Amino acid sequence: MSPDIASALRQAYQLPTLIGGGAADGASEMVSAAVERERTRLQRLLVDLGYLDAEILVTHTDAAIVLRPVLGQRYRVTAVELRGVRQSELERKVVDDLAVIISDFVGQPATARIAGQFGRRIVQTVGARDFALAGLGSVGWSRSDGAGVTAVVELDMGLPMRFGSVVFSGLQRLQEEDLHRLVPFRPGDRYEQAQIEVLRDRLEALNAVNRVNISIEAGEGGVLAVDTRLREAPADLSALRKAGPFGLASGIAALAGLALARIAAAAGAPRLRPLARVNIACVLTFAALAAERLVSFLA
């Protein structure tokens, strides 16, 4: 066997696989059902590997039941047929991109893995503009003479979509009106996946944002609601500690003045009243500096 088949079989089975039986009534029926399940599973595995004509022979002996694969030839893609695609509604660039994908698909083994990869590429290309809800139906094989097959790709394009409103959630310190200035499109514009990525990049560039999750949901009339959920970064409290020498001196003076005023009040010393006025000035200065830091921190 080729290395990829051997690897797939090792992953699917812990070889050798033993199906235990017994002499109890109904045991033979249970064994037969188990053998049939394994025969079907092994055949499906080989078909997914491109051996579309694979058969599994079941051999019974006194000691064991043996499942023996008969592979046949491995098929390759010779043509691609897209169904459900309305070419007249696609831009020329999208049509050209699809042609490149189909060209890459031709010549590849007719395996389930490769079919899935190219199916996703086709959906991403069609859904990059206008058709945000394009989806893959199925990928099947239409066999012809020889070892070539036509890959039949069923696609659901859906309706052409336009941007609707953008809703932000998860906000704590950020203001929604400020975030709306970062949106690169307006309600009613044609849908473009690239514009969603521009919005994501702009939001992730904000220092106050840790994570951005953008989802779209279709509304009536081909309008997409854009739900943007943010996780804000933890607050940087170090900004509040940067009071500077003047702020530190005014804070110490304010604390010292409060202590002296307390002593003066207790001793009844009228000479310390001017110091109380200086203390009030220090308190006001320190409060102003603290307020300025707080506003800068919240901004």
Side-chain angles (χ1 to χ4, degrees):
M1 287 186 179
S2 61
D4 57 340
I5 298 177
S7 175
L9 288 175
R10 280 194 294 269
Q11 292 176 13
Y13 293 90
Q14 295 295 324
L15 298 178
T17 299
L18 302 179
I19 302 175
D25 293 339
S28 60
E29 288 80 1
M30 293 176 61
V31 170
S32 297
V35 169
E36 180 59 25
R37 284 196 303 271
E38 293 306 309
R39 189 195 69 79
T40 302
R41 186 162 76 100
L42 181 55
Q43 184 178 28
R44 180 72 262 173
L45 174 65
L46 296 175
V47 169
D48 287 344
L49 289 171
Y51 295 90
L52 306 183
D53 298 325
E55 295 182 359
I56 309 300
L57 302 181
V58 181
T59 303
H60 295 262
T61 68
D62 293 338
I65 300 173
V66 179
L67 303 180
R68 189 176 303 280
V70 178
L71 299 180
Q73 63 184 349
R74 195 178 199 187
Y75 285 81
R76 290 186 176 272
V77 179
T78 56
V80 179
E81 178 184 350
L82 291 182
R83 295 180 180 177
V85 175
R86 302 186 294 274
Q87 183 173 338
S88 60
E89 298 183 16
L90 298 176
E91 292 186 344
R92 181 64 189 178
K93 182 180 183 307
V94 175
V95 175
D96 292 342
D97 291 342
L98 288 177
V100 172
I101 294 173
I102 291 174
S103 177
D104 292 341
F105 201 179
V106 172
Q108 297 289 334
T111 68
R113 180 181 62 84
I114 290 177
Q117 290 176 351
F118 281 95
R120 287 189 293 272
R121 284 183 61 185
I122 291 172
V123 169
Q124 291 170 358
T125 300
V126 173
R129 186 176 177 92
D130 293 331
F131 298 96
L133 304 182
L136 181 65
S138 63
V139 180
W141 311 112
S142 176
R143 278 177 281 183
S144 57
D145 295 336
V149 296
T150 297
V152 182
V153 182
E154 297 276 356
L155 198 68
D156 180 12
M157 288 178 57
L159 296 174
M161 309 299 291
R162 294 186 176 273
F163 283 117
S165 58
V166 180
V167 178
F168 293 95
S169 58
L171 305 183
Q172 298 178 1
R173 300 186 306 277
L174 295 173
Q175 299 299 315
E176 187 168 356
E177 56 269 20
D178 295 332
L179 297 178
H180 275 292
R181 298 191 185 100
L182 302 178
V183 178
F185 51 83
R186 293 178 298 179
D189 289 349
R190 295 172 61 187
Y191 169 80
E192 286 187 75
Q193 175 63 30
Q195 296 290 68
I196 295 291
E197 297 308 317
V198 170
L199 175 60
R200 187 191 312 277
D201 292 341
R202 290 179 178 179
L203 293 173
E204 290 179 345
L206 298 176
N207 292 330
V209 174
N210 258 354
R211 190 171 65 183
V212 179
N213 183 22
I214 302 177
S215 60
I216 56 177
E217 183 176 351
E220 296 181 358
V223 176
L224 287 173
V226 183
D227 182 18
T228 306
R229 179 173 296 275
L230 304 178
R231 174 177 290 182
E232 295 189 15
D236 184 8
L237 300 179
S238 62
L240 295 177
R241 296 196 295 267
K242 299 176 182 178
F246 183 67
L248 181 61
S250 62
I252 294 175
L255 293 176
L258 287 174
L260 290 175
R262 184 77 175 179
I263 296 172
R271 294 181 179 178
L272 293 179
R273 288 177 183 173
L275 184 60
R277 298 189 182 95
V278 175
N279 175 60
I280 293 174
C282 291
V283 170
L284 293 176
T285 302
F286 184 73
L289 290 172
E292 185 272 335
R293 288 291 173 185
L294 183 60
V295 170
S296 175
F297 165 73
L298 294 177

